[in-house]
Amino acid sequence: MEKGKLIEFRVNGEPRLAVVDRPEGKKDWMVIDSEGHSHKLRPQRMDYEVLGGPYSTSDISQFLQEIQPYLDPSSLEVAWELLVEDGEGVTSADMASFLYSEQTPQLCYAAHRLLAEDKIYFKKKGDNYEPRSPSQVEEIKHQLEVQQQRQQEKEIFLDHIQQALAGETVEWSQSDRTRLELLERFVLQPEQNHRNAQDLLKELGHNTTPDAAFELLVALKWWSPNENLFLKRSSYPVNFPQKVLDVASSYLQTLPPDSDSDRLDLTHLKVYTIDDESTEEIDDGLSVEYLDNDQVKLWIHIADPTRLVTPGDELDLEARKRSTTLYLPTGMISMFPVELATGPMSLRQGQLCAALSFGVVLDSQGAILDYSIHASLIKPTYRLTYHDVDEMLQLGITAESELAVLAEAAKKRHQWRQSQGSITIKMPEAIIKVKSEEEIIIELLETSISRQLVAEMMILAGEVAGGYCRENSIPVPFRGQPQPELPSDDELLLLPPGPVRACALRRCMPRSEMGTLPSRHASLGLDNYTQVTSPIRRYTDLLTHFQLKAHLRGDELPFPLDVMQQILYSVTLSAQEASLVERQTNRYWGLEFLRRNADQVWQGLVLRWLREDEGLGVILLEELGLELPHRFERSVSLGDRLNVQVSRADPHRDEIRFREMLEHETITNN
């Protein structure tokens, strides 16, 4: 190395020219760049030595100006096309001769710069540059095009973000959606690695946290402020595949052939369907038939979706995947395409409907004396609400005397089940409805004759179906519940009557179980039971329908025991997940309701203890039917009533805090 040599080295990855000044120690050299800055370098850091010299720092600027006209990257492509066949490497001087027909220091350095910056055609090997193969060049070009496209898409995305934040309407492209989905996953699964989402947030000037991602998605109106994250985290599909929708569409045009061509014609019976006013899937109806000897036959008609669904077809497999209809405060997400579920599958007033009908005669005590099961045709006469039926029973309308017969039969059934050891637990139950993002309604379900009537008839159908399947060794999803260890009467009498006592009983109740073998259901007081009354919205009920109807026709069962066990396992897991989503969503909207009504005073009942020594318990807001945790600042007993006001509510974090109101504060608030 000599003083006055012009060399190239890199500073922060960028090439820079400098003139060698003097040695520094045994291995280093001091060099000076065009701005007069000194750098200590080892020879290994010097990428290129310019021919000629000696040079001074004042020559560098002129030297760089002289090479500018020759720095055309496209010229390398021509050189590569001619050199690739030989496959031999070239030096910078060789490339200068090839490109410019000369080897001046300026031209050799220009060739060096082209080769050093080239990422496509040549690769460095020692002091030479070898031409890449045509396939390698093609692949690199493709990768660069992809990178360029991604960069363009990213720039467009950032522009769209700014437009959306400014309140402009944006048509999100597919690449935009992919990036927004990165932010979604960051919110939904924060425990995973989300480097790309965090980089996006950083580039947009936001904190790199899941909360910041959520706030951005809301600000973009991609999500609503009350987005159902529980549903999004679940595997429950919100939308139906196109092939399922196509099947539904074709059935709405033309019904498929009925596999039950000899259905029992029950269109002469008066059929009542009784539901909440908002119910859209009408899956059960009731009739009364008067027999000789003053006997009465009760008819429980259940909607028959198997009229349209065949085991293993598109509709069946999709329903199996969903396992149940989701009932959320914001609306229903149906197990079947909604047009089918609320249309030809439902028992619609005045329409000829396929049904699975259970005819039952009870004895004087309410036990089953005789029964029969039929694939049937019915024509529902009245679509009534629970309120309608309660009013008609109260008024004693003689034209609809069948309702009084059904109510009396339900009463007998309830008394008979009590004699068999059934356990009834009455706790306040609420329905939360979100009419819009602005309106949340919480309605308490009141115990009424009509609701008890329908409930008893559905339980009766389940007992009949369970008994038939047991007698004929038909594998269906039998439901059972182990016998609980209940507190003694003396222990219960120590607790305040009402919700506190009912809650203590509820906590003793084991979870119900489902299996292919019949078992006793303790709380219902039945030895055989299978749910059969909601096949439009519960897949296990649909399974029972498939099995029952095949047996009634004399056909081979569609689901042998081992297959039924496998299906039940997967469906049970899906149903548990769906149930969790429903509970979490209801809890969210309950907390959101309280957050929006933070100025209101509520009466709370001390329901049970979580950790009594820490003063942590659960209060029941009786007006709303909500059970929520509360830490008491004073000594209280179960059953005590207190007035509380929300001090903090964060539905997204599942947090609620109350403060107890003093008597004078309560008076002021009320």
Short mmCIF file of all heavy atoms in Angstrom, two decimals, residues 22 99 220 240 248-249 282 285 352 377 415 425 427 570 584 589 620 648:
data_model
loop_
_atom_site.label_atom_id
_atom_site.label_comp_id
_atom_site.label_asym_id
_atom_site.label_seq_id
_atom_site.Cartn_x
_atom_site.Cartn_y
_atom_site.Cartn_z
N ARG A 22 -1.16 7.36 5.37
CA ARG A 22 0.01 6.85 6.07
C ARG A 22 -0.37 5.56 6.79
O ARG A 22 -1.54 5.32 7.07
CB ARG A 22 0.52 7.88 7.09
CG ARG A 22 -0.45 8.11 8.24
CD ARG A 22 0.04 9.18 9.21
NE ARG A 22 -0.81 9.23 10.38
CZ ARG A 22 -1.98 9.86 10.44
NH1 ARG A 22 -2.46 10.49 9.37
NH2 ARG A 22 -2.69 9.86 11.57
N LEU A 99 -17.10 -3.40 -22.10
CA LEU A 99 -18.17 -2.40 -22.20
C LEU A 99 -17.74 -1.11 -22.89
O LEU A 99 -18.52 -0.49 -23.62
CB LEU A 99 -18.69 -2.05 -20.79
CG LEU A 99 -19.41 -3.16 -20.01
CD1 LEU A 99 -19.78 -2.65 -18.62
CD2 LEU A 99 -20.67 -3.62 -20.74
N LEU A 220 -60.31 2.51 11.50
CA LEU A 220 -60.44 2.30 10.05
C LEU A 220 -61.84 1.82 9.67
O LEU A 220 -62.13 1.65 8.48
CB LEU A 220 -59.41 1.25 9.59
CG LEU A 220 -57.94 1.64 9.72
CD1 LEU A 220 -57.05 0.43 9.41
CD2 LEU A 220 -57.59 2.79 8.80
N PHE A 240 -71.20 -19.41 5.10
CA PHE A 240 -71.34 -20.75 4.51
C PHE A 240 -70.51 -20.85 3.24
O PHE A 240 -70.44 -19.88 2.46
CB PHE A 240 -72.80 -21.04 4.19
CG PHE A 240 -73.65 -21.35 5.39
CD1 PHE A 240 -74.34 -20.34 6.04
CD2 PHE A 240 -73.74 -22.64 5.88
CE1 PHE A 240 -75.11 -20.61 7.16
CE2 PHE A 240 -74.51 -22.92 7.00
CZ PHE A 240 -75.19 -21.90 7.63
N ALA A 248 -78.61 -25.08 -0.99
CA ALA A 248 -79.76 -24.41 -0.37
C ALA A 248 -80.60 -23.69 -1.42
O ALA A 248 -81.83 -23.77 -1.42
CB ALA A 248 -79.28 -23.42 0.69
N SER A 249 -79.92 -23.02 -2.34
CA SER A 249 -80.63 -22.28 -3.39
C SER A 249 -81.46 -23.21 -4.26
O SER A 249 -82.60 -22.92 -4.61
CB SER A 249 -79.62 -21.50 -4.25
OG SER A 249 -80.26 -20.82 -5.28
N ILE A 282 -88.75 -22.20 13.63
CA ILE A 282 -89.89 -22.79 14.35
C ILE A 282 -89.75 -24.31 14.26
O ILE A 282 -90.02 -24.91 13.22
CB ILE A 282 -91.24 -22.35 13.72
CG1 ILE A 282 -91.27 -20.84 13.54
CG2 ILE A 282 -92.39 -22.84 14.57
CD1 ILE A 282 -91.21 -20.04 14.80
N GLY A 285 -94.25 -28.01 17.40
CA GLY A 285 -95.67 -27.66 17.48
C GLY A 285 -96.40 -28.68 18.33
O GLY A 285 -95.92 -29.81 18.51
N LEU A 352 -97.95 -26.69 4.43
CA LEU A 352 -97.81 -28.14 4.58
C LEU A 352 -96.36 -28.43 4.95
O LEU A 352 -95.44 -28.09 4.21
CB LEU A 352 -98.17 -28.84 3.26
CG LEU A 352 -98.32 -30.37 3.34
CD1 LEU A 352 -99.49 -30.76 4.22
CD2 LEU A 352 -98.51 -30.94 1.93
N LEU A 377 -97.03 -35.47 8.07
CA LEU A 377 -97.32 -34.20 7.42
C LEU A 377 -98.29 -33.44 8.30
O LEU A 377 -99.30 -34.00 8.75
CB LEU A 377 -97.94 -34.41 6.04
CG LEU A 377 -97.02 -34.89 4.92
CD1 LEU A 377 -97.83 -35.21 3.66
CD2 LEU A 377 -95.97 -33.84 4.60
N GLN A 415 -95.35 -32.96 37.93
CA GLN A 415 -95.56 -33.62 39.22
C GLN A 415 -95.04 -35.05 39.18
O GLN A 415 -94.43 -35.53 40.15
CB GLN A 415 -97.05 -33.60 39.58
CG GLN A 415 -97.58 -32.21 39.90
CD GLN A 415 -99.09 -32.16 40.03
OE1 GLN A 415 -99.80 -33.08 39.59
NE2 GLN A 415 -99.62 -31.08 40.62
N ILE A 425 -84.42 -26.13 39.69
CA ILE A 425 -83.67 -25.00 40.24
C ILE A 425 -84.11 -23.74 39.49
O ILE A 425 -83.95 -23.65 38.27
CB ILE A 425 -82.15 -25.21 40.10
CG1 ILE A 425 -81.72 -26.46 40.87
CG2 ILE A 425 -81.39 -23.98 40.58
CD1 ILE A 425 -80.28 -26.85 40.67
N MET A 427 -83.51 -19.96 38.86
CA MET A 427 -82.65 -18.79 38.97
C MET A 427 -83.08 -17.77 37.94
O MET A 427 -83.56 -18.14 36.86
CB MET A 427 -81.19 -19.18 38.72
CG MET A 427 -80.54 -19.99 39.83
SD MET A 427 -80.25 -19.02 41.33
CE MET A 427 -78.98 -17.89 40.80
N SER A 570 -66.43 -35.35 18.17
CA SER A 570 -66.08 -34.09 17.50
C SER A 570 -67.18 -33.05 17.66
O SER A 570 -66.91 -31.87 17.89
CB SER A 570 -65.79 -34.33 16.01
OG SER A 570 -66.95 -34.77 15.34
N GLN A 584 -69.44 -16.01 26.63
CA GLN A 584 -68.51 -14.88 26.64
C GLN A 584 -69.14 -13.64 26.00
O GLN A 584 -68.97 -12.52 26.49
CB GLN A 584 -67.22 -15.25 25.89
CG GLN A 584 -66.35 -16.26 26.63
CD GLN A 584 -65.20 -16.75 25.76
OE1 GLN A 584 -65.34 -16.90 24.54
NE2 GLN A 584 -64.06 -16.99 26.37
N TRP A 589 -71.63 -8.16 26.50
CA TRP A 589 -72.68 -7.17 26.32
C TRP A 589 -73.34 -6.79 27.65
O TRP A 589 -73.84 -5.69 27.81
CB TRP A 589 -73.72 -7.66 25.31
CG TRP A 589 -73.20 -7.54 23.91
CD1 TRP A 589 -72.77 -8.54 23.09
CD2 TRP A 589 -73.03 -6.33 23.17
NE1 TRP A 589 -72.34 -8.04 21.88
CE2 TRP A 589 -72.49 -6.68 21.90
CE3 TRP A 589 -73.27 -4.99 23.44
CZ2 TRP A 589 -72.20 -5.73 20.92
CZ3 TRP A 589 -72.98 -4.04 22.47
CH2 TRP A 589 -72.45 -4.41 21.23
N LEU A 620 -75.87 -10.79 42.71
CA LEU A 620 -76.86 -10.94 41.65
C LEU A 620 -77.60 -9.62 41.50
O LEU A 620 -78.22 -9.13 42.45
CB LEU A 620 -77.85 -12.06 42.00
CG LEU A 620 -79.10 -12.17 41.12
CD1 LEU A 620 -78.74 -12.59 39.70
CD2 LEU A 620 -80.09 -13.17 41.73
N ARG A 648 -66.11 0.98 37.52
CA ARG A 648 -65.25 0.71 36.35
C ARG A 648 -65.81 -0.48 35.61
O ARG A 648 -66.16 -1.49 36.20
CB ARG A 648 -63.81 0.44 36.79
CG ARG A 648 -62.92 -0.09 35.67
CD ARG A 648 -61.48 -0.30 36.10
NE ARG A 648 -60.73 -1.10 35.15
CZ ARG A 648 -60.31 -0.67 33.97
NH1 ARG A 648 -60.56 0.57 33.59
NH2 ARG A 648 -59.63 -1.46 33.16
#
